[in-house]
Amino acid sequence: MAEFRNRIDNRHSGIRVRDTDRVDACALLDAARAEGELTEAEHAQRSEAAMRANTFGDLDKLLRDLQIPRNLADAPVVRPDRRAPSRKWQAAAALIVVAALIGALGGCVSRAAAPGASLPDPTTGPGLAAFIQAYRDHYGDTVVDEVSLYPGYVLVERASGADSERIRYDRKGFSAYTSSSRSTDAVALDLAELDVPALARLMAGAGETVGAPGHRISHITIEHEKDEDAVVRIYVEDTRNGGYLEVSPAGEPLTVYPSHD
């Protein structure tokens, strides 16, 4: 494994990272845990911080004391000379990049929400996994009518007898805030059927996919409409004209609606 600490260059630390750089950092943290360099708690804490990083300097602080796997030795996250401001990609090319990330985020999704770690952003892979686990722990199942995930909280519609209960989930936990008669068109879906690692890879590359690199996800909706297949919609924040993509619960890309200048 190559050493990283000698490669740090402060001249490049202020460059903003892309979602793919955060994924590379998570893969590096996974390798460090597997090699015994990090404990479970350290891995969880650093993984959450990596998914929230804004600049390469933020990632450098998390990685500077670790050995680097040879397959990541040339990645911008450990090679300051390869860092450059993000440029807009075409949606089709971005999907190819996202597909190339298979397996890179698995450890971050499965281990970032270790006991004692704060809830990650629900619009990231670790946050989605943490929310599903918290929902299962609280309600004893993972069945919902609809879910909307935002960076700081989650809104849920859940059947309660003949009624539909609306619930908010944030760092304080679950709280029901209203209820009404359940729509006859409502179709329940099971969050346990989501392929979280596959969705996490698409979420990590969502900005590039819709042609708005550097923009965060504004929100994600998961719903199953009557006479339609269940669908996950990932919306990218953009002050001009944001795009979004539709994917299946299994993480299969369905439709891309690009962002426009």
Side-chain angles (χ1 to χ4, degrees):
M1 300 175 74
E3 290 190 5
F4 172 60
R5 62 179 64 87
N6 293 328
R7 297 188 178 196
I8 296 175
D9 187 338
N10 292 331
R11 293 174 300 172
H12 301 83
S13 62
I15 296 175
R16 295 187 66 85
V17 295
R18 300 175 299 175
D19 292 321
T20 50
D21 299 315
R22 297 184 184 95
V23 171
D24 284 343
C26 281
L28 191 154
L29 291 168
D30 288 344
R33 175 191 172 278
E35 292 290 329
E37 293 185 79
L38 296 177
T39 65
E40 288 282 0
E42 289 171 332
H43 174 271
Q45 183 179 32
R46 294 197 194 193
S47 293
E48 180 184 352
M51 293 304 292
R52 295 175 180 274
N54 292 317
T55 67
F56 280 107
D58 295 333
L59 293 180
D60 290 343
K61 295 175 183 177
L62 301 172
L63 308 176
R64 68 173 69 238
D65 61 337
L66 303 178
Q67 299 292 318
I68 303 302
R70 296 194 182 281
N71 65 313
L72 289 173
D74 290 327
V77 74
V78 295
R79 281 282 302 275
D81 57 303
R82 294 178 64 87
R83 299 173 183 177
S86 298
R87 294 172 297 193
K88 187 168 290 187
W89 295 2
Q90 295 296 324
L95 283 176
I96 295 173
V97 171
V98 172
L101 298 177
I102 292 176
L105 195 57
C108 284
V109 172
S110 64
R111 292 190 293 269
S118 59
L119 177 68
D121 181 345
T123 63
T124 66
L128 176 59
F131 164 70
I132 294 174
Q133 183 59 54
Y135 188 89
R136 179 185 291 109
D137 292 343
H138 188 82
Y139 290 102
D141 61 45
T142 50
V143 178
V144 301
D145 280 351
E146 183 177 341
V147 174
S148 297
L149 302 111
Y150 296 85
Y153 60 94
V154 182
L155 301 179
V156 182
E157 291 192 20
R158 173 183 171 86
S160 178
D163 293 335
S164 178
E165 189 174 33
R166 291 177 174 82
I167 301 160
R168 178 185 171 101
Y169 176 68
D170 52 30
R171 294 183 184 278
K172 296 180 180 179
F174 290 91
S175 58
Y177 61 92
T178 187
S179 63
S180 61
S181 297
R182 188 168 184 251
S183 170
T184 56
D185 292 333
V187 180
L189 62 92
D190 191 345
L191 296 177
E193 297 178 358
L194 297 177
D195 188 331
V196 177
L199 291 173
R201 292 189 288 271
L202 291 169
M203 292 155 66
E208 285 84 354
T209 299
V210 302
H215 289 277
R216 299 179 59 185
I217 293 174
S218 61
H219 64 288
I220 298 170
T221 63
I222 306 173
E223 58 186 332
H224 190 179
E225 299 175 351
K226 188 175 182 180
D227 299 325
E228 300 287 343
D229 293 329
V231 64
V232 180
R233 296 184 176 92
I234 305 172
Y235 295 85
V236 176
E237 181 183 67
D238 194 319
T239 56
R240 297 159 299 180
N241 187 3
Y244 70 97
L245 60 152
E246 293 183 345
V247 304
S248 74
E252 176 187 359
L254 301 174
T255 310
V256 176
Y257 297 88
S259 173
H260 300 288
D261 291 331

